[in-house]
Structure formats: C-alpha cells, structure tokens
C-alpha cells in the first residue's frame, strides 16, 4: 500500500472509508454471487459473494481470484452455492451464452435433484456487454464509490492491512483504481449493485421490563400457564398472546 501510485487525497476509494463486519449469520442476508470471467492475457476469473442485510449494507462474504478452466469455473460456482446458497448469480451474457450455459444448467439440475435441501435452485442474471467494454467497466466500478464512501461495503475483519488472500487483493484493486494492473475482483463486486436486495428481517424491539405492556404480557402468560393445568371444561378464555 505504501507504494500505491494513486494519490490518497484524490483516490476514488479512500482507505479511511473501508468498513468491516464481525460475526454474521448468513440466514439474515440476501446473498448474491457474480463472476467476472478472465479475458485475454493475464486476467483472472474473479468471483465475489455478497450478503445484503436489512439496512442494505453489503457484506463481502467470499472472494475467489484464480486462473480457471471452464470445468473449474462450473465447479467453483457449485462449491460457492453449497456454502452460501445465493439467491441469484450474475455473469456477462457473451460468456454465459457462449460457453457456460448448457453445462452449468445441466450441473445445477443434477446437484439439485441429488441434494435439493442443501442445493436449492437459484436464478441466473445475464449482464449485457457493451461495445466499449473499457468505458462500461470503468463506469460500473465507479458506481461503487458512493457505497464505499457511506461505509456500507463491508469486509471481514478489522483493518485493511490485516486482510489476506483475495480479500486483500480486492482492497488493493480498490485503493489503486484506476491504476491497478488488475481490476477483475473489483469489477465482479460492481456487478452486484443491480442484484442486491434488502435481506433478513428487521428485529423488533423488546418490550421494556416493568413497562405497562410488559406487565400486561406477564399477566397473560401467568393466566395461560394456570389454564393449561385445568380440565378443559374449567378453562377460562384468555386473549391470544402475541409473541411478536
């Protein structure tokens, strides 16, 4: 990071705006996966998995950044879905229709038939490629900047310097954008923006102890317990107790 050629003052993704999360339950998140396939030269196949909570905060759950053959890409999609059960998976149309579609659909149906509970079906979202690929990619990545500035893109851990593996590579690509030698993971992350939805349920606030509502609830619970020990013909009507 000290050798970063991007001026921290004018950087699009500023280091001080990186945000982090601790323990999290995937059941509370709307989970999406995306793939930015390798192009020519030294590009990587880059996967990102994002879980969005009820506040629309984007938790980066997993990153994969590797040189992969087609069969390995399909295996990686299957592995990630077993682990995270994403609702939808995004990939560029030209790559999906040209090489991936038939074999991926076959594998998905095969895995679902054998393990429907642990491998539920998920949707495929196709991103249309534009004529000027470089410009469209830059615009797509820059759309992440307001989310980063609001600190709603969250990495696992506590500090940028302590990130490891592909998470560290993604942070490096953000800090150096648009001067980084690679931007595959960053482009994969940008693909999530049209896919994310509010996840989980807003947790309801508990009734304050000793408040009138709390005392009323305690009384109803006592009546329910008392009635439960009486013969049916002697039971009294007690208003239905809401547990919400």
């Amino acid at each position: 990071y000290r050798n970063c050629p991007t001026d921290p003052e004018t950087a699009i993704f500023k280091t001080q705006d990186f945000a982090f999360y601790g323990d999290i339950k995937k059941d509370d998140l709307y989970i999406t996966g995306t793939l930015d396939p390798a192009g020519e030269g030294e590009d990587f196949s880059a996967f990102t998995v994002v879980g969005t909570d009820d506040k629309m905060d984007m938790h980066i759950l997993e990153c994969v950044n590797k040189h992969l053959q087609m069969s390995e890409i399909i295996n990686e999609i299957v592995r990630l879905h077993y682990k995270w059960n994403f609702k939808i998976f995004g990939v560029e149309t030209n790559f999906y229709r040209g090489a991936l579609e038939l074999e991926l659909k076959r594998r998905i149906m095969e895995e679902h038939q054998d393990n429907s509970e642990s491998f539920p079906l998920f949707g495929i979202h196709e991103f249309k490629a534009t004529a000027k690929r470089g410009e469209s990619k830059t615009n797509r990545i820059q759309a992440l900047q307001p989310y980063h500035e609001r600190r709603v893109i969250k990495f696992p851990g506590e500090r940028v310097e302590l990130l490891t593996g592909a998470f560290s590579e993604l942070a490096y690509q953000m800090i150096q954008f648009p001067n980084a030698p690679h931007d595959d993971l960053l482009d994969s992350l940008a693909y999530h923006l049209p896919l994310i939805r509010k996840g989980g349920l807003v947790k309801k606030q508990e009734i304050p102890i000793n408040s009138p509502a709390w005392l009323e609830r305690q009384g109803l619970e006592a009546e329910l317990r008392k009635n439960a020990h009486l013969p049916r013909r002697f039971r009294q009507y007690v208003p239905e107790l809401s547990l919400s």
Side-chain angles (χ1 to χ4, degrees), residues 4 7-8 19 24 29 31 56 58 67 97-98 128 137 142 146 150 160 163 172 179 184 225 239:
C4 175
D7 182 358
I24 196 165
L29 304 172
I31 299 178
M56 291 295 285
M58 297 170 60
H67 293 295
R97 296 282 180 91
K128 294 182 179 179
K137 174 185 282 195
Q142 287 179 331
R150 297 201 309 273
V160 173
L163 293 173
Y172 175 78
N179 300 314
D184 314 285
R225 289 193 294 270

Side-chain angles (χ1 to χ4, degrees), residues 75-111:
N75 288 340
E76 197 64 31
I77 294 172
V78 169
R79 181 190 73 82
L80 290 171
H81 186 52
Y82 268 116
K83 183 175 181 180
W84 298 109
N85 284 340
F86 33 74
K87 302 293 185 183
I88 194 165
F89 185 82
V91 62
E92 189 178 87
T93 292
N94 289 350
F95 180 78
Y96 178 64
R97 296 282 180 91
L100 190 65
E101 183 177 15
L102 293 179
E103 184 61 22
L104 180 59
K105 285 183 176 180
R106 183 199 65 79
R107 183 71 182 278
I108 287 172
M109 292 308 301
E110 183 180 273
E111 296 290 337

Side-chain angles (χ1 to χ4, degrees), residues 206-215 218:
E206 293 292 330
I207 301 174
I209 296 177
N210 293 327
S211 67
W214 184 86
L215 293 172
Q218 297 303 304

Side-chain angles (χ1 to χ4, degrees), residues 6 29 47 49 56 66 77 105 138 141 144 182 215 224:
T6 302
L29 304 172
F47 296 84
V49 180
M56 291 295 285
K66 298 178 179 179
I77 294 172
K105 285 183 176 180
T138 299
I141 291 173
L144 288 168
H182 298 284
L215 293 172
L224 286 172

Side-chain angles (χ1 to χ4, degrees), residues 5-153:
T6 302
D7 182 358
E9 296 300 320
T10 60
I12 293 175
F13 300 100
K14 299 186 186 307
T15 304
Q16 65 265 26
D17 291 331
F18 277 84
F20 302 90
Y21 66 89
D23 294 335
I24 196 165
K25 295 180 179 179
K26 70 177 184 179
D27 292 342
D28 292 335
L29 304 172
Y30 183 90
I31 299 178
T32 53
T34 62
L35 164 65
D36 179 44
E40 299 179 354
E42 295 298 320
D43 282 354
F44 294 84
S45 292
F47 296 84
T48 50
V49 180
V50 166
T52 316
D53 63 16
D54 60 280
K55 298 177 182 177
M56 291 295 285
D57 288 356
M58 297 170 60
H59 302 74
I60 304 173
L61 303 174
E62 187 157 350
C63 300
V64 177
N65 196 47
K66 298 178 179 179
H67 293 295
L68 299 173
Q69 299 295 329
M70 185 59 61
S71 60
E72 294 173 320
I73 288 175
I74 293 171
N75 288 340
E76 197 64 31
I77 294 172
V78 169
R79 181 190 73 82
L80 290 171
H81 186 52
Y82 268 116
K83 183 175 181 180
W84 298 109
N85 284 340
F86 33 74
K87 302 293 185 183
I88 194 165
F89 185 82
V91 62
E92 189 178 87
T93 292
N94 289 350
F95 180 78
Y96 178 64
R97 296 282 180 91
L100 190 65
E101 183 177 15
L102 293 179
E103 184 61 22
L104 180 59
K105 285 183 176 180
R106 183 199 65 79
R107 183 71 182 278
I108 287 172
M109 292 308 301
E110 183 180 273
E111 296 290 337
H112 176 71
Q113 289 172 0
D114 294 342
N115 308 283
S116 59
E117 291 186 4
S118 58
F119 197 90
L121 296 177
F122 58 92
I124 301 289
H125 181 90
E126 299 177 42
F127 295 102
K128 294 182 179 179
T130 58
K132 297 181 179 180
R133 179 176 175 83
E135 291 182 10
S136 65
K137 174 185 282 195
T138 299
N139 293 337
R140 183 166 58 245
I141 291 173
Q142 287 179 331
L144 288 168
Q145 190 275 333
Y147 293 82
H148 179 71
E149 187 174 298
R150 297 201 309 273
R151 299 172 61 83
V152 299
I153 297 176

Side-chain angles (χ1 to χ4, degrees), residues 24 42 52 155 220 223 237 244:
I24 196 165
E42 295 298 320
T52 316
F155 284 76
L220 287 173
E223 288 296 323
Y237 168 75
S244 60

